[in-house]
Amino acid sequence: MSLAYFDCNTGVAGDMMLGALLDLQDPRLTIETLTAGLSSVLDNKEWSIRSHSVRKGTGQIAATKVDVILAGVQDDPDKHGHGHGHGHSHGNNHHHGHGHDHHAHDVTPISPPTSYDQPNPHHRTFSIISTMIEKSQLPTAVKQQSILVFRKLAEAEASCHGVNPDDVHFHEVGAVDSIIDTVGCVYALHLLGVDRVYCSPLPFTTGTVKTQHGILGVPAPATLKVLAGTGVTFRPSTLKGECVTPTGAALLATLCQGRGTMPPSFELLQVGHGAGTKDFDETPNIL
């Protein structure tokens, strides 16, 4: 049996998880294989994936940083936490979603998927996203798990703001980012042949995070809603700011069979480090 254990000392986000998996440098998982699979979900005329090695913390620990690069989107100078995009609900209730930092880049289309009728391609509801995933060419298990992750996100956001999950929109850059990070992590674990996923306790930090619709305390309300009752455990942390994003939380809550614990026994085969956006004074921000 093949196991994956995520050591979340400084938290977790979708891009950190994808970076850690790519950092394994396993020939079964490459940018090319990821792009080929994800292009059947979302036309990669809109996006590409970039990964590069960075050094984190005073010890200069090498880790892989993953960026989802959108065509025509310039650098965002306001970088915070693990990074945020936007989200909203229809009506008078507005809320935030979570993406990452972006950079402009030329992309090459690979197997573009069927187009979907919608008023704005950058405003995608849970229903639209789940349909995109379901109609893709990805393995059935990858589709099912990816849709479950988005369902958890939509239900958490809806609960926080008193709206219907169907009214939650993942919009603008956050929609593309969330799709690539979320489905990318699920597909990456599939390509690696992982049978069971475990994670360590998560850091419960203090401070705030800036979102499109205001400043929120951390962990963000949606993150707490995603993790409540799932068996994921927290530990007190001296780190400041957002370290666990809703996307990272939803991935762990959906994929992990062992939450807050290690496998009972294992042989260590490979180790990968995924880099977060934020830099701490001494602690390397890595998954």
Side-chain angles (χ1 to χ4, degrees), residues 220-275:
T223 299
L224 296 176
K225 286 286 186 180
V226 166
L227 295 174
T230 64
V232 172
T233 61
F234 283 98
R235 59 170 178 77
S237 175
T238 58
L239 299 176
K240 303 294 183 182
E242 184 181 56
C243 288
V244 179
T245 68
T247 299
L251 282 163
L252 293 184
T254 302
L255 301 177
C256 288
Q257 288 82 23
R259 303 177 179 96
T261 183
M262 298 184 74
S265 64
F266 58 90
E267 174 191 358
L268 186 61
L269 299 178
Q270 296 168 285
V271 178
H273 293 151

Side-chain angles (χ1 to χ4, degrees), residues 169-216:
H169 279 217
F170 300 86
H171 74 92
E172 295 178 358
V173 297
V176 176
D177 221 5
S178 293
I179 293 170
I180 299 305
D181 281 350
T182 300
V183 185
C185 287
V186 177
Y187 188 40
L189 289 165
H190 173 82
L191 290 172
L192 292 168
V194 172
D195 299 303
R196 295 178 68 87
V197 179
Y198 294 76
C199 70
S200 71
L202 305 179
F204 199 99
T205 59
T206 59
T208 60
V209 62
K210 182 180 179 183
T211 74
Q212 186 187 19
H213 300 295
I215 296 174
L216 299 175

Side-chain angles (χ1 to χ4, degrees), residues 24 38 160 170 279 287:
L24 295 171
L38 295 174
C160 285
F170 300 86
D279 288 317
L287 174 68

